[in-house]
């Protein structure tokens, strides 16, 4: 719109100036100006496209370019972990500090720290549909299932092509600690906690998205 206005104004100026040439200076020189002004008045798009063509503007190309897809990460706390304690333990690495006595713990200056019998690294996982359940399997061993509220969501991800990876992170379990209050070793029996981290590509999934 702005380009059309500018072209119209330029056309009018050309007509006025050419008229001056015709009447004052030289009619022959003024005729081309008159024709040019009439042309611009009839076809303002011609000049506006030349003046305001953004097709070759690098900034315009950048504006129209698609932004790269950024993967999204979703986390799920697994259910039924307490039924797979042995399988989970087999995935860990024994922690020698867990067996230290009080004097050795003091010597290593790790008093007040939680000491676990096993340490765990993040591990790649597979998701298997087993009836109504979605089981999470690591190295051929089931470590838990997707909770009921998130089951349908994960099923949709499995049926789409958007799931890039699935990783399991294991924490917790039995622990012992040298108390700073009484200077004694205390043992606690606690369940393992297993979280599933799914990396998802951007896009629309089959059946629509859910934010359970």
């Amino acid at each position: 719109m702005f380009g059309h206005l500018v072209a119209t104004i330029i056309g009018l100026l050309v007509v006025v100036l050419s008229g001056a040439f015709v009447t004052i200076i030289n009619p022959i020189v003024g005729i081309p100006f008159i024709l040019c002004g009439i042309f611009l008045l009839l076809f303002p798009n011609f000049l506006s496209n030349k003046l305001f063509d953004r097709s070759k503007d690098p900034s315009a190309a950048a504006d129209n370019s698609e932004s790269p897809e950024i993967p999204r990460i979703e986390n799920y706390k697994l259910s039924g972990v307490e039924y797979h304690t042995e399988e989970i333990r087999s995935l860990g690495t024994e922690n020698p500090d867990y067996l230290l006595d009080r004097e050795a713990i003091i010597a290593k200056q790790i008093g007040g720290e939680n000491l676990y019998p096993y340490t765990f690294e993040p591990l790649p996982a597979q998701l298997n549909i087993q009836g109504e359940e979605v089981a999470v399997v690591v190295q051929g061993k089931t470590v838990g299932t997707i909770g009921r509220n998130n089951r349908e969501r994960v099923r949709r991800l499995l049926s789409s092509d958007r799931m890039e990876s699935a990783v399991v992170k294991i924490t917790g379990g039995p622990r012992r600690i040298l108390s700073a209050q009484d200077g004694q070793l205390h043992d606690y029996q606690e369940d393992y906690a297993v979280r599933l981290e799914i990396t998802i590509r951007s896009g629309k999934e089959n059946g629509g998205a859910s934010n359970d």
Side-chain angles (χ1 to χ4, degrees), residues 22 46 68-69 78 104 123 126 129 136 153 174 188 193-194 204 207:
V22 170
F46 178 80
E69 292 187 353
L78 300 191
L123 297 168
Q126 293 180 331
I129 296 178
V136 179
R153 163 71 172 164
Y188 301 91
V194 183
K204 184 178 288 187

Side-chain angles (χ1 to χ4, degrees), residues 1-10 44 47-48 51-52:
M1 185 68 182
F2 180 72
H4 291 178
L5 179 60
V6 172
T8 302
I9 292 172
I10 292 175
L47 185 59
S48 64
L51 292 176
F52 302 99

Side-chain angles (χ1 to χ4, degrees), residues 97-118:
D97 290 343
Y98 182 76
L99 300 176
L100 295 178
D101 58 21
R102 178 177 177 278
E103 288 73 22
I105 291 175
I106 294 173
K108 288 194 70 173
Q109 298 182 349
I110 54 176
E113 296 183 14
N114 287 316
L115 303 176
Y116 296 92
Y118 300 94

Side-chain angles (χ1 to χ4, degrees), residues 38-188:
I38 294 172
F39 176 81
L40 291 176
L41 287 173
L42 294 176
F43 305 102
N45 287 342
F46 178 80
L47 185 59
S48 64
N49 290 338
K50 295 296 183 181
L51 292 176
F52 302 99
D53 183 10
R54 286 174 52 85
S55 61
K56 298 181 181 180
D57 185 355
S59 62
D63 292 340
N64 295 328
S65 61
E66 294 184 1
S67 58
E69 292 187 353
I70 301 176
R72 184 174 76 255
I73 294 177
E74 293 185 1
N75 286 280
Y76 300 92
K77 183 178 180 180
L78 300 191
S79 301
V81 172
E82 63 275 15
Y83 303 116
H84 304 283
T85 301
E86 292 302 321
E87 292 91 335
I88 291 171
R89 285 176 182 164
S90 68
L91 298 172
T93 302
E94 290 187 1
N95 178 17
D97 290 343
Y98 182 76
L99 300 176
L100 295 178
D101 58 21
R102 178 177 177 278
E103 288 73 22
I105 291 175
I106 294 173
K108 288 194 70 173
Q109 298 182 349
I110 54 176
E113 296 183 14
N114 287 316
L115 303 176
Y116 296 92
Y118 300 94
T119 58
F120 299 91
E121 297 293 331
L123 297 168
Q126 293 180 331
L127 278 65
N128 295 338
I129 296 178
Q130 300 176 355
E132 294 185 356
E133 302 282 350
V134 179
V136 179
V137 180
V138 178
Q139 297 179 8
K141 302 167 184 177
T142 300
V143 295
T145 59
I146 301 296
R148 181 178 301 176
N149 292 338
N150 296 310
R151 228 177 260 164
E152 188 59 33
R153 163 71 172 164
V154 174
R155 280 175 176 268
R156 285 199 297 269
L157 288 174
L158 284 172
S159 65
S160 72
D161 60 351
R162 296 179 53 218
M163 196 167 73
E164 286 190 352
S165 64
V167 175
V168 150
K169 296 181 179 180
I170 302 171
T171 57
R175 63 185 175 91
R176 62 175 19 185
I177 186 171
L178 179 61
S179 174
Q181 275 109 15
D182 59 15
Q184 300 299 315
L185 274 173
H186 296 274
D187 291 288
Y188 301 91

